[in-house]
Amino acid sequence: RKEVEQDPGPFNVPEGATVAFNCTYSNSASQSFFWYRQDCRKEPKLLMSVYSSGNEDGRFTAQLNRASQYISLLIRDSKLSDSATYLCVVNPPPYGQNFVFGPGTRLSVLP
Amino acid sequence: DVKVTQSSRYLVKRTGEKVFLECVQDMDHENMFWYRQDPGLGLRLIYFSYDVKMKEKGDIPEGYSVSREKKERFSLILESASTNQTSMYLCASSHSRTGIYSPLHFGNGTRLTVT
């Protein structure tokens, strides 16, 4: 089993749709999780950290389920500018040093 | 805002050349990383450093070396460039190895072509 797995995608959704991505991780000692977005031929950019109680930033909501070892990202009211690849990143101990990347899920928001 | 700066966006080198990729961060981060990203293979860690003069091999260190003489600067060296090292190289930094929420901050990448 891979350390971090994501929905294979691609996801093609119309503008205004709600879309959810899932990510599973294998290291149960992990406590640090992040979502990044990456535009084509650009560097990954931090979208949000994922806190244990779940957190929201505008149209984006991240959830963590420790028991099932998965995290999710929900995007509401999709915009064309949300089109990108979304990377799930897990940081098992030692924190700040050991980052494990998922393969990414590509999202295309269509007009 | 954290700034991670890579010296070149695009680089073209010949096979056998020694290549230096430079990265500087301005947020006093302890940890610095070099990744390469290739289509279908995702991000792969080459080397990382958690302190000045300290380095650890990542998943694919062969053909590369690194140097960290100052906290803010982390250099990746291709000792003898080969065509299979054509790739996008990404430098990143993070704050503290003891902080749970210490995300990676990436530079804008160097697209290296070896001919």
Side-chain angles (χ1 to χ4, degrees), chain A residues 47-58:
Chain A
L47 182 64
M48 55 201 304
S49 303
V50 185
Y51 302 125
S52 55
S53 55
N55 47 301
E56 191 173 304
D57 183 2

Side-chain angles (χ1 to χ4, degrees), chain B residues 92-112:
Chain B
S93 69
S94 70
H95 180 46
S96 165
R97 58 180 151 161
T98 60
I100 289 182
Y101 297 112
S102 298
L104 279 171
H105 298 271
F106 285 90
N108 55 13
T110 296
R111 196 162 289 277
L112 172 68

Side-chain angles (χ1 to χ4, degrees), chain A:
Chain A
R1 181 183 171 188
K2 291 182 182 174
E3 286 193 73
V4 179
E5 298 191 68
Q6 294 186 242
D7 290 331
F11 283 56
N12 298 312
V13 303
E15 263 187 296
T18 295
V19 61
F21 305 132
N22 290 316
C23 168
T24 58
Y25 60 94
S26 60
N27 188 334
S28 58
S30 303
Q31 297 201 42
S32 187
F33 311 93
F34 309 96
W35 283 104
Y36 283 74
R37 70 167 280 165
Q38 186 173 25
D39 295 293
C40 190
R41 299 175 73 83
K42 297 283 185 73
E43 76 278 17
K45 291 187 178 174
L46 179 67
L47 182 64
M48 55 201 304
S49 303
V50 185
Y51 302 125
S52 55
S53 55
N55 47 301
E56 191 173 304
D57 183 2
R59 298 181 293 108
F60 299 85
T61 300
Q63 295 282 349
L64 168 64
N65 184 319
R66 286 192 193 280
S68 302
Q69 293 181 210
Y70 81 81
I71 67 174
S72 64
L73 177 69
L74 183 78
I75 305 175
R76 290 182 298 278
D77 188 23
S78 301
K79 312 288 184 196
L80 295 176
S81 57
D82 293 333
S83 297
T85 295
Y86 289 82
L87 298 168
C88 171
V89 181
V90 177
N91 179 202
Y95 302 116
Q97 287 189 355
N98 178 21
F99 294 87
V100 185
F101 289 80
T105 301
R106 184 159 178 192
L107 171 66
S108 292
V109 181
L110 308 172

